[in-house]
Amino acid sequence: MKIELVEGDITEQRVDAVVNAANSSLLGGGGVDGAIHRKGGPEILAECRALRASRYGGGLPAGQAVATTAGRLPARWVIHTVGPVFSRSEDRSHLLASCYRESLAVAGSLGAATVAFPAISTGVYRWPMADAARIALTTVRQAGTAVEEVRFVLFNSAAYAVFEDALRDMG
Ligand code: AR6
């Protein structure tokens, strides 16, 4: 599997599936989530509401992933995953790794060959970028998946540089 880093906006990626850094309500928020719903349009929210009315009545737990249409985005699917809120007193890195693993599993079951990820949990959920980059890259690299290309979309040059360093450190 090919891993690519780009600096940019995840809502503009031409890929099969775009991953959303959602919250467990699945009903929208700020950051990546806000941008995806704004640009993707109401079809995405309608499918999220249907998921809340069926399989995920209690919300989507952290570390899990579920797909909807991508609406008007230039992608076929949005895969919603819920990152953990960063905590200094509790190690939640298994949940962050699970977001990447479960999103790739959903992508594989849909037949998606190309997947774009944001740096999950590094915004509102405050995960330190370098640690998040290491977890993201090692998890994706170790995942047994039929996905052919994983693109990490970093929102600014600082985040891009951190991911570049982490990728280099992995050899
Ligand atoms: N494209 C790519 N990356 C982006 C974009 C974008 N358009 N916008 C922000 N980022 P966040 P979280 C970066 O806060 O930390 C929402 O309210 C951002 O700079 O989107 O997992 C949800 O509803 C940061 O590096 O996600 C949840 O309540 C990274 O994407 C909560 O935020 C993730 O930031 C989830 O928090």
Side-chain angles (χ1 to χ4, degrees):
M1 179 234 299
K2 183 177 152 201
I3 295 181
E4 201 188 345
L5 308 181
V6 303
E7 184 183 336
D9 182 336
I10 198 150
T11 64
E12 291 170 3
Q13 305 301 311
R14 294 188 179 277
V15 284
D16 294 326
V18 160
V19 175
N20 181 17
N23 60 63
S24 63
S25 81
L26 290 175
L27 301 178
V32 169
D33 201 7
I36 283 178
H37 282 285
R38 215 165 30 247
K39 285 211 193 162
E43 252 189 288
I44 301 175
L45 188 59
E47 282 195 24
C48 286
R49 286 192 200 285
L51 285 166
R52 285 299 309 275
S54 55
R55 260 170 85 189
Y56 295 107
L60 181 67
Q64 296 190 25
V66 66
T68 65
T69 174
R72 297 195 287 259
L73 295 178
R76 286 180 70 184
W77 299 283
V78 171
I79 298 172
H80 306 264
T81 191
V82 180
V85 176
F86 180 72
S87 163
R88 295 215 171 270
S89 55
E90 189 190 356
D91 182 9
R92 299 175 180 166
S93 47
H94 63 289
L95 290 172
L96 185 54
S98 177
C99 288
Y100 289 97
R101 237 183 345 258
E102 293 302 314
S103 296
L104 286 175
V106 170
S109 71
L110 292 167
T114 53
V115 178
F117 279 101
I120 298 165
S121 288
T122 63
V124 173
Y125 287 174
R126 303 186 317 272
W127 206 290
M129 191 62 81
D131 196 48
R134 181 186 57 77
I135 293 166
L137 290 165
T138 50
T139 306
V140 165
R141 191 176 265 186
Q142 285 166 8
T145 172
V147 172
E148 291 164 18
E149 183 193 316
V150 169
R151 188 182 303 171
F152 286 96
V153 183
L154 293 322
F155 207 38
N156 54 46
S157 58
Y160 180 89
V162 170
F163 266 71
E164 211 177 23
D165 286 349
L167 195 56
R168 196 178 311 114
D169 287 349
M170 282 165 57

